[in-house]
Amino acid sequence: MIFIGIDAAKDKHDCFIVSSEGEVLCDVFTISNTLDGFNDLLSKIKSFSKDLSKTKVGLEATGHYSYNLLGFLLDNSLPTYVLNPLHTNLYRKSLSLRKTKTDKVDARTIASMLMSCQSLKPYTRALYHNEELKSLTRYRFDKVSERAKLKSSVSRLTTILFPELEKLVSQVHCVSVYALLSEFPSAKHIANANLTRLTNLLYSASKGHYNRDTAIRLREAARNSIGSVMPAKSLELKHTIKLIGELDDEISEIEAAIKQIVDSLGTTVLTIPGIGYATAASILAEVGDFSNFETPDKILAFAGMSPSTYQSGQLTNCYAHMEKRGSKYLRFALYNATKYVCIYDSNFAAYLTKKRSEGKHYNVAISHAAKKLVRLIFALEKSHLPYMPVA
């Protein structure tokens, strides 16, 4: 058996090849991040082992830097292992007290981990394709976060330009109000607006919810508004609303692509009340292959939702805080899913109520419900059975 450690980077990759007896077959060498470089690595591996099944190739999960190399290794049927950088970092520190970290050292460390850690599971083609779903869900997360910031800007600008508006409408962040502010981006604009035009705009944008009376109330409030007259802020408000509209279209397109992939997976997570496509996709994408996790607690640890452990002398975990290490996307998806499941499923609602009755803060109670949800998701994905709530 031979072991190949690879430290992936943007333009080049450092590689190290060693035998199971500890013999260095090829000291650290560098290949370019090109097809020629990949083929050079493959040639060296084949020169030491004709049977590729007797090799183990390891590299860190470095995101897009290693993605193309990872695909090449899988295409050539090389048993490949993707290691958590946190694990390799801790493993490297365990080998030496010296603070030494270089690409060459990392390549040797990865090869050494492959040799000593027999419990590591190989990266599969299914996990490789799962990266597409992960990419989409994280892209959506970024777009939704970007939209949330823009909505905060709209609230801020509205407070400056027409502070009374918030009390005159059900909510500022809706199609009808955005249509109003796009054409009349300040109290002064609304105060000087033609009543017929204002009425038609509101009626059309709200699909009949707002009528002439609403238009009159808005115009009267605008004429007595304390809002500032600032053309620069009005222009910013118009552009911000336009950007939100563009993001809405982009997010809808992303969600359509996510739905198509999730439908092809045939997951049973969607049978849990309160979990929609976007949340289910985030959970499935971040967890990947559920067979890689022996217990639900392993998934909790991966999401950074396990309580930290502190023991020193007679002091043991006075205040055990959550680790919050691991996938922040999975942690966010699980918390978000739990909040909705606790609304739509009576069993989870009762569990949340029980935890709250014990004096736990809402967020702490939700964290307990999230652990219960992870156990449920784990069981459903293992059994491939739909959720059947116990009456």
Side-chain angles (χ1 to χ4, degrees):
M1 181 71 74
I2 67 169
F3 303 89
I4 303 97
I6 303 175
D7 183 74
K10 181 180 179 181
D11 299 316
K12 51 90 176 180
H13 307 299
D14 290 291
C15 311
F16 178 73
I17 305 177
V18 63
S19 70
S20 54
E21 290 76 26
E23 179 187 357
V24 176
L25 301 178
C26 193
D27 206 354
V28 180
F29 61 97
T30 302
I31 62 169
S32 60
N33 191 25
T34 62
L35 183 59
D36 288 339
F38 294 175
N39 285 325
D40 181 38
L41 171 62
L42 183 61
S43 297
K44 280 187 170 59
I45 294 173
K46 287 182 176 180
S47 67
F48 296 112
S49 176
K50 299 299 181 182
D51 186 0
L52 295 181
S53 64
K54 294 183 178 180
T55 64
K56 285 187 177 181
V57 184
L59 63 162
E60 286 183 327
T62 53
H64 59 284
Y65 288 151
S66 60
Y67 193 73
N68 294 327
L69 176 59
L70 184 58
F72 177 83
L73 296 171
L74 293 175
D75 287 340
N76 286 277
S77 302
L78 282 160
T80 306
Y81 299 76
V82 177
L83 310 178
N84 188 321
L86 179 62
H87 289 168
T88 56
N89 184 41
L90 293 174
Y91 185 82
R92 184 183 66 254
K93 289 179 179 179
S94 71
L95 298 178
S96 174
L97 294 176
R98 298 179 63 186
K99 291 185 177 180
T100 305
K101 185 192 184 305
T102 65
D103 295 341
K104 292 183 178 181
V105 169
D106 285 346
R108 294 191 183 99
T109 300
I110 292 170
S112 180
M113 277 192 70
L114 288 178
M115 293 174 64
S116 60
C117 300
Q118 300 298 320
S119 60
L120 294 174
K121 295 186 178 181
Y123 197 82
T124 63
R125 175 61 64 179
L127 286 175
Y128 182 75
H129 287 307
N130 187 66
E131 289 295 328
E132 183 177 3
L133 184 60
K134 184 186 292 186
S135 178
L136 281 171
T137 54
R138 291 188 176 187
Y139 185 46
R140 178 188 176 277
F141 181 91
D142 292 339
K143 289 293 181 181
V144 170
S145 299
E146 185 179 348
R147 184 177 61 182
K149 291 179 181 178
L150 290 175
K151 286 185 175 182
S152 295
S153 294
V154 169
S155 298
R156 171 179 57 84
L157 292 167
T158 303
T159 301
I160 296 171
L161 299 167
F162 191 5
E164 298 81 5
L165 177 62
E166 187 176 358
K167 295 180 180 179
L168 297 171
V169 294
S170 57
Q171 59 173 320
V172 173
H173 304 290
C174 62
V175 174
S176 54
V177 176
Y178 279 4
L180 170 69
L181 295 176
S182 293
E183 188 164 338
F184 306 106
S186 72
K188 181 182 178 182
H189 287 91
I190 296 174
N192 296 330
N194 177 275
L195 184 58
T196 302
R197 172 58 193 150
L198 189 60
T199 301
N200 291 337
L201 173 64
L202 287 170
Y203 188 85
S204 175
S206 68
K207 297 182 179 179
H209 182 70
Y210 294 134
N211 53 24
R212 181 181 175 84
D213 292 339
T214 306
I216 292 173
R217 285 199 304 272
L218 283 172
R219 194 169 69 165
E220 287 301 317
R223 287 175 175 174
N224 296 289
S225 175
I226 61 170
S228 302
V229 179
M230 302 177 68
K233 295 294 184 186
S234 295
L235 183 63
E236 183 183 349
L237 178 59
K238 288 176 64 175
H239 287 180
T240 302
I241 291 173
K242 183 179 179 182
L243 288 173
I244 290 174
E246 292 173 354
L247 281 173
D248 284 338
D249 293 338
E250 291 174 3
I251 291 170
S252 295
E253 188 176 353
I254 296 168
E255 288 177 345
I258 287 174
K259 183 179 184 300
Q260 187 175 6
I261 295 176
V262 173
D263 283 336
S264 69
L265 297 176
T267 179
T268 56
V269 174
L270 288 170
T271 62
I272 303 174
I275 295 185
Y277 278 94
T279 304
S282 295
I283 295 172
L284 295 173
E286 295 300 324
V287 174
D289 189 352
F290 278 78
S291 65
N292 288 333
F293 299 90
E294 296 175 359
T295 64
D297 288 341
K298 299 287 186 180
I299 296 178
L300 288 170
F302 179 67
M305 295 172 65
S306 296
S308 58
T309 302
Y310 182 84
Q311 192 276 330
S312 180
Q314 296 181 351
L315 182 64
T316 303
N317 271 35
C318 289
Y319 300 99
H321 296 286
M322 198 163 289
E323 289 181 340
K324 290 190 177 179
R325 300 168 78 174
S327 172
K328 68 175 183 179
Y329 300 99
L330 178 58
R331 192 161 57 249
F332 177 84
L334 288 172
Y335 272 115
N336 196 42
T338 304
K339 290 178 181 178
Y340 284 101
V341 172
C342 286
I343 294 173
Y344 291 101
D345 184 81
S346 58
N347 290 325
F348 276 87
Y351 185 79
L352 181 65
T353 302
K354 176 178 177 292
K355 291 299 177 182
R356 292 285 282 145
S357 67
E358 294 172 0
K360 289 181 169 55
H361 185 276
Y362 175 77
N363 288 337
V364 176
I366 282 291
S367 70
H368 282 278
K371 294 173 183 178
K372 178 181 173 69
L373 179 61
V374 168
R375 291 192 290 270
L376 173 61
I377 291 173
F378 184 82
L380 294 182
E381 285 299 303
K382 287 285 188 177
S383 64
H384 302 290
L385 296 174
Y387 174 55
M388 299 294 290
V390 179

